[in-house]
Amino acid sequence: MREISSLKAELPNLSFTDYCRHLKYFEENPDHLRLTPLRIAVLRSYTVETIEPILKLRLYIDGYKPEFRFGNYNMYAQEVLETSGELYTFRPDIVLFLVRVEELLPELNRSFGEKTFSDWEKIIENAVRQITSLLEVLERNLSSQIIVQNMSPMGRPYWGIHDGQHPEGETSLINRFNSLLARELKDRRSVFLWDFDGLMKRLGLETAYDPKMWYLAKNPFRQSAYIKIIDDLYRYIASIIGNQKKCIVLDLDNTLWGGIAGEDGLDGIALGFQYPGNCYRDFQEGLLRLHNRGILLAVNSKNNEGDALEIIDKHPYMVLRRKHFSAMRINWNDKVSNMKDLREELNIGLESMVFIDDNPAECEMVRRHIPECEVVCLPEKVYLIPDVIHALNGVENIRVTEEDRKKGEMYRAQAERKEFEKSFTNIVEYLASLEMCVEIEPARDFTVPRISQLTQKTNQMNLTTRRYTEGEIRSFMKDPDAFVFSVSSTDRFGDNGIIGVMILKKKDDECIVDSFLLSCRVIGRNIEQAMLAFAGDFARNTGAKTLVGEYIPTAKNHPAADMFKRFHFKGAGDGSFEADLESYTLEFPPYIRTQIGELAEKS
């Protein structure tokens, strides 16, 4: 774990040769690591095999054992349409659809001036329809998540410097193509658009393009550019596979502001619209954007609490206020202990936290003692600090749910619940005082993203830890013998949103609990009893005689270990548990008002 943590910290400085060297260790020692298989199919119009060692190493580091299948050069359409072919027997978890405008419309740059702009508009509309049709075939025949590259020109525009001044130039046409493609894909639940054009604009044509490799091997990019390309693409992949961070833990002095709170005071710190204070303000604005997208913020600072809070509460140029932080440790304790305390308060894993500090010694201490936690040491040059936000791993969401937007508010309500709990000595009285309402209903189209997200992220109260993509969830919804349920909860402190998932499967006289999970935010409120009581009633109504549960132990799901025993299921060996539905009935908790959504018939 320590070696992997150190390697992750070195990633920004690795060359292509370094990636290949480190990859060799993982491929020679796969049995020493607990890895989750992940199949990735690459459909492409150009040579992209160079991405494999870079992407493989990133996935190995994050706990996955990747297997790749590269389609034939510029044969993506044929492979998609051959639904009995190798692509479909490979059964990929993720499909990368990497097609460039140079191969899709080869005549565009060569003969742009020989057709009218109106003609070209019709041509690109037809090209968008062709791509959309291929993606529809993939969606119908695979349960994969599909990442589609949008278009970016590799050459200089046909009309040269005049192109950018003309609303009917080649650049405008490619922008039109990308806009149409985005519009076509915006409501597709298994297809995501990768802004490759934006990446190429940031990198620059001369930095990315390798003319020698293009003419020799139809490989358009430099080796160094592929590292940047995967850095960008991996944000999408990490979000799809659920490899995301939940909380950013921040130092204060020389991190959120310049200077020392206890020495420089409210009036002396650097924070505002002049250098270097504008760097810290921009950094805070970036953190606020992450907060509003569902990433928790917390504080871990060696400081006098009163001095620090005075700045947070009163400084006119603070972007982040006390309300934006889900938890704080402002004291003189060591930061490793504070990190563990924050983990306990927030009830999340240390591996889902990112620690940011300006002090290399503090960063090294946390990295050494908590190797599962990602550690980011701020650059010495203050003007580089705002860019740290863009380089953070695992903080992007490919789909932002309603729960993500409200997450900070939900965790603040959680802190209020904990304070409220202290006034009770009897747990039942406390739970009754929460005035909980739990709603269990079949998965709907608009709840699938959150259901998939929970299967990917939830580790503690998760009996089987089976990870499912949105496509797989939708496949279950169509399966007459599979049933997917979302679980939402509210209480006197607010709406918790969707916090649980159950997937039940009918097989002969048995109803099998394939997946059963609860967000860490609601562990300890006995919502699992309401869920299991519902599962028993539902299974009985479908004609099942036995409800079968399974507990698959992992390094993180110990809180779920005794659930079936606690509710008097009988052990059946190999982690299986059974309840005879003809004699077994589990009551709903009297202090939870349980609402059951309409159980729609499957077609």
Side-chain angles (χ1 to χ4, degrees), residues 147-259:
I147 299 176
V148 182
Q149 168 185 325
N150 71 4
M151 301 299 159
S152 181
M154 288 301 297
R156 299 184 186 279
Y158 188 89
W159 296 119
I161 62 174
H162 175 69
D163 189 86
Q165 306 174 60
H166 204 290
E168 295 185 352
E170 184 182 345
T171 302
S172 174
L173 193 70
I174 291 176
N175 290 338
R176 169 77 171 152
F177 182 102
N178 288 336
S179 177
L180 288 173
L181 186 61
R183 187 182 305 169
E184 288 293 325
L185 301 185
K186 71 182 180 67
D187 294 324
R188 296 189 179 278
R189 296 299 184 178
S190 299
V191 183
F192 305 96
L193 192 61
W194 172 28
D195 185 16
F196 182 77
D197 183 45
L199 171 64
M200 285 295 106
K201 288 173 179 173
R202 293 192 299 275
L203 284 181
L205 176 63
E206 293 180 0
T207 301
Y209 184 55
D210 188 332
K212 178 181 177 181
M213 290 305 298
W214 170 245
Y215 286 113
L216 285 175
K218 299 299 183 182
N219 184 344
F221 303 114
R222 303 177 190 272
Q223 283 186 346
S224 57
Y226 275 110
I227 295 174
K228 297 292 186 182
I229 288 169
I230 291 303
D231 282 344
D232 195 71
L233 177 60
Y234 199 73
R235 297 181 303 147
Y236 295 75
I237 294 173
S239 179
I240 282 175
I241 62 182
N243 190 32
Q244 294 169 283
K245 303 300 181 182
K246 295 180 180 178
C247 179
I248 296 175
V249 183
L250 298 145
D251 180 40
L252 295 176
D253 293 335
N254 292 312
T255 299
L256 290 189
W257 54 72

Side-chain angles (χ1 to χ4, degrees), residues 58-70:
R58 297 291 295 269
L59 288 165
Y60 271 124
I61 288 173
D62 283 336
Y64 291 87
K65 185 179 180 181
E67 181 182 356
F68 280 78
R69 181 195 177 277
F70 284 84

